[in-house]
Amino acid sequence: MADASVMPGRGESCFAVLPDRAAALAVAPLVGGAKAPRLCHPSGRPWLVGRWAEGELVVVAVRSTRLAVIGDHAVDEAWLETEAARLRDPARLGDLARQLPGCCHLVALVDGTTRVQGPASGLRLVFHGRIRGMEIAADRADTLARLADAPVDERQVAARLLWPVPHPLLHNCLWHGVGTVPPGEALEIAPDGARSRLTRWWTPPEPVRPLAAQAGRIRDVLDEAVQVRTRAGGVISCDLSGGLDSTSLTFLAARGKAHVVAGTRPGRDPADDDLLWARRAMTHLPGVEHVVWAPEDKPLVYQGLLAIDDALDEPTIGVMDRARLVTRFPALVARGSRRHLTGIGGDHVAWSAEAHCHALLRREPLLALRQLRGFRALWNWPLSGMARALADSRPYGRWLRDVADGLGQSRPATVTGALGWGMPPRLFPWVTPEARRLVRDVLGEAAETAEPLAPTRGGHVELQQIRSGTRIIRQWDWASAREGLPTSHPYFDDRVIEECLAVRPEDRVSPWEYKPLLVAAMRGVVPDECLARTTKAQAALDAAEGLRRHRGDLLALWSESRLARMGLVDAGRLRDLALRPDTPELREGVLYSTIACEIWLRTLDTRPSAALPSAGAS
């Protein structure tokens, strides 16, 4: 099968980076087929191989240096050529990344050394593996898994049944022999391809700037992030839910060169006021075209699960909403949209974790106590639970070890997760004893060396939420590309994340104000009456109705369960739950992680494997 392709299906981009070895000549045709575009080392051997949408790839060569930008950007080739001429050390790629608006991979070849990195957000990842005795990098894990004919790692599949999946387990790849480059780190491959190493290029900013001084910078980088997607003109579409996040992006997009089509899809809940707020915003956007879908036309949660055939390279709870994501695209494409902007990410960067109160209490106790009184009233936290959470001084590794030891316990109080290292993950009753043992082992091993993503609980929770969110969006983006409408998420651009996280947490999170950071940044761009919204529509009614209407699909899912074949779940208990869709515990999304793993395993059944020809010269 020397001509078998390991690329995903139509519409999706994918690439692999190969060292300057003769063996790469046999590997390259397997990455996208014999006719896949490729860029070469100075020797003429393949270096960067794959498939890209129009405008995604900009690459320059200056003497023996190669520099490529791949993704969602507006990089000028002349500027990139100037940067390539200056590039003497691959490590400088981190400095270059900090200058680029948008969201992209950077790949460089300097004096034979290759460096590959994605954005710090984790929205675009890098994986690596050893194929034919040489280190290869790719932007998809399944590309490397199929090249190596690697088996699925049962232990890591079991760990993904956790809800939520804690750091650093998300960085564990689901195939043996394939590794993940954590966001904020880069992979450097030696000239001979025999060795590789990880090096850190990004750390979160110190959260010390007052909001009043930072609001203008946030507005500028967010505006720049939007204009990167609109400056080519034509037609672009936006979500317009009427919430602060999507409304802000729509007003910024309307200032650009593209014609904007704003789409609003209200939910079935009578209390859903999205359309009211969206129409209020539209009175200030005379040049924007507004598309409104009827609530009854909005697909329900759980719809279309059995039909999903996306080439997913890891489980994602995003499969629950795939139908809701893509069914609006035909109407937007019919209106000429070439790219769709979402407000996803605003909740992650324009707000802050209440867990910051843990450190604030030790630094500024009076301010912290004032904040905590407000949060207690807002969330109805019990005083005893707050006291225990605030007194907890366990380091992250110890917390993770205790999580492993306590998997069988009941759901912890909300305040425990809100003021701690995050919500302790759970396993559910349908998970088998063997799967529980595997998960405990994985958690216990991780706890031995685990370090938090930031020094404080609040900083750790924020980055964990960003990276968990981008792991879902990453898979949605492939689905969007398959449906013919590439999607962008400006709030998840690294430059936007950095400027938001640099603001003092006590200025970003408040029990008395809703998203004060975004309100301050958008003042003067978004009308005050549109910044006054403090509500957020929920999809609980759509989820509950989806369980009832699609229980037949769930029954079919568990009747042929791949997880059950692996001995990780009790399919009988899951079928019983499918017959009882009004069970109270199902309202909390407890099925999501299990469905995500099941759907992912199903998608593997239909993919061809790639077998390398017999070994030749290396």
Side-chain angles (χ1 to χ4, degrees), residues 37 66 109 137-138 146 166 200 208 220 247 252 272 287 312 375 393 403 415 422 484 490 523 550 573 614:
R66 308 283 187 271
L109 177 67
R146 280 179 278 171
R200 175 163 292 282
V208 295
D220 291 345
T247 300
L252 290 172
D272 186 319
L312 306 172
F375 285 126
S393 59
V403 164
V415 67
R523 189 79 68 190
H550 300 297
R573 297 189 74 159
S614 58

Side-chain angles (χ1 to χ4, degrees), residues 207-211 352-376 381 386 390 419 503-513 516:
V208 295
R209 298 178 187 168
L211 176 56
S352 183
E354 291 89 346
H356 275 295
C357 289
H358 191 279
L360 187 65
L361 184 65
R362 289 149 177 82
R363 191 177 76 246
E364 296 187 48
L366 292 179
L367 175 58
L369 288 172
R370 180 175 178 269
Q371 294 268 56
L372 287 164
R373 281 196 297 269
F375 285 126
R376 185 188 177 204
W381 286 342
M386 290 176 63
L390 292 167
L419 295 179
V503 176
R504 297 182 305 195
E506 59 267 31
D507 288 355
R508 281 186 282 135
V509 61
S510 168
W512 301 282
E513 297 178 81

Side-chain angles (χ1 to χ4, degrees), residues 192-204:
D192 62 0
R195 303 174 311 282
S196 66
R197 70 184 184 110
L198 299 180
T199 178
R200 175 163 292 282
W201 67 271
W202 186 87
T203 55

Side-chain angles (χ1 to χ4, degrees), residues 292-565:
V292 179
W293 288 271
E296 58 271 19
D297 292 337
K298 185 176 186 178
L300 296 166
V301 181
Y302 304 101
Q303 184 164 322
L305 292 177
L306 297 180
I308 292 175
D309 62 352
D310 296 330
L312 306 172
D313 69 348
E314 66 177 344
T316 173
I317 65 171
V319 295
M320 255 62 66
D321 286 316
R322 188 193 188 281
R324 296 156 68 84
L325 172 77
V326 303
T327 53
R328 59 194 168 165
F329 287 171
L332 299 175
V333 171
R335 287 167 170 79
S337 179
R338 60 175 177 80
R339 180 165 292 275
H340 188 70
L341 306 188
T342 83
I344 300 173
D347 286 337
H348 302 72
V349 303
W351 190 244
S352 183
E354 291 89 346
H356 275 295
C357 289
H358 191 279
L360 187 65
L361 184 65
R362 289 149 177 82
R363 191 177 76 246
E364 296 187 48
L366 292 179
L367 175 58
L369 288 172
R370 180 175 178 269
Q371 294 268 56
L372 287 164
R373 281 196 297 269
F375 285 126
R376 185 188 177 204
L378 182 64
W379 304 122
N380 198 28
W381 286 342
L383 189 59
S384 59
M386 290 176 63
R388 283 193 298 271
L390 292 167
D392 183 0
S393 59
R394 287 175 296 174
Y396 185 73
R398 173 64 184 277
W399 176 84
L400 201 61
R401 165 62 68 182
D402 291 345
V403 164
D405 294 339
L407 280 178
Q409 297 177 4
S410 59
R411 180 185 180 185
T414 302
V415 67
T416 302
L419 295 179
W421 288 111
M423 184 59 67
R426 304 164 62 196
L427 285 177
F428 302 105
W430 52 85
V431 175
T432 64
E434 172 61 12
R436 290 176 182 274
R437 183 188 66 79
L438 293 175
V439 174
R440 285 194 184 94
D441 289 348
V442 172
L443 280 169
E445 291 170 11
E448 296 297 324
T449 57
E451 296 290 339
L453 294 170
T456 66
R457 283 159 171 75
H460 169 83
V461 170
E462 285 174 347
L463 287 177
Q464 170 75 349
Q465 289 176 343
I466 288 171
R467 294 180 182 184
S468 296
T470 55
R471 295 300 275 261
I472 299 170
I473 304 309
R474 175 175 172 265
Q475 307 283 353
W476 276 350
D477 284 351
W478 290 333
S480 300
R482 288 190 74 192
E483 300 297 329
L485 187 56
T487 305
S488 298
H489 320 279
Y491 287 107
F492 277 140
D493 282 8
D494 283 356
R495 291 174 60 135
V496 176
I497 291 172
E498 281 199 342
E499 297 297 347
C500 290
L501 295 189
V503 176
R504 297 182 305 195
E506 59 267 31
D507 288 355
R508 281 186 282 135
V509 61
S510 168
W512 301 282
E513 297 178 81
Y514 184 63
K515 294 186 181 177
L517 180 147
L518 198 55
V519 171
M522 290 294 103
R523 189 79 68 190
V525 175
V526 178
D528 286 351
E529 67 168 324
C530 299
L531 293 174
R533 186 176 183 183
T534 59
T535 59
K536 186 177 180 67
Q538 303 297 322
L541 189 63
D542 290 5
E545 180 60 25
L547 274 170
R548 287 189 288 271
R549 192 173 300 181
H550 300 297
R551 62 181 179 177
D553 287 352
L554 292 177
L555 275 171
L557 199 65
W558 308 131
S559 296
E560 303 173 358
S561 172
R562 278 67 167 172
L563 286 170
R565 290 179 199 169

Side-chain angles (χ1 to χ4, degrees), residues 80-91:
L80 193 63
E81 189 168 325
T82 300
E83 293 299 318
R86 296 173 179 169
L87 198 59
R88 299 288 184 270
D89 181 358

